[in-house]
Amino acid sequence: MEILEGLFLALGVNSLKELGESAKTSKTLTVMIIVGTLLIGGFFLFLYLMAKAQ
C-alpha cells in the first residue's frame, strides 16, 4: 500500500477519499480516471497475453 500512497502524494492527492471527492465534482477528472484505468488495464492485459504466447 505504500506504493499507492507514494504515487498519490506525488500527484498531490492525500488519499483515495479525497480523489473520490474531487471526482464527484469534476466530470473531466472522472473521465480521466476511467480512461486511465482502462488504458493501464489494457496494457497489462496485452503484456499478459504476449508473455503467455511465448
Side-chain angles (χ1 to χ4, degrees), residues 2 4-5 7 9 12 14 19 22 24-25 27-29 31 33-35 37-39 43-47 49 51 54:
E2 293 177 12
L4 286 177
E5 290 174 1
L7 177 63
L9 183 62
N14 291 332
L19 181 62
S22 295
K24 283 182 184 178
T25 60
K27 290 181 183 179
T28 304
L29 180 59
V31 170
I33 291 170
I34 293 169
V35 169
T37 302
L38 290 174
L39 287 174
F43 178 67
F44 282 116
L45 178 62
F46 170 75
L47 289 179
L49 293 175
Q54 290 292 327

Side-chain angles (χ1 to χ4, degrees), residues 5-6 8 11 21-23 27 29-30 42 48 50-52 54:
E5 290 174 1
F8 289 137
L11 293 173
E21 292 295 322
S22 295
K27 290 181 183 179
L29 180 59
T30 303
Y48 172 75
M50 289 296 109
K52 186 179 174 182
Q54 290 292 327

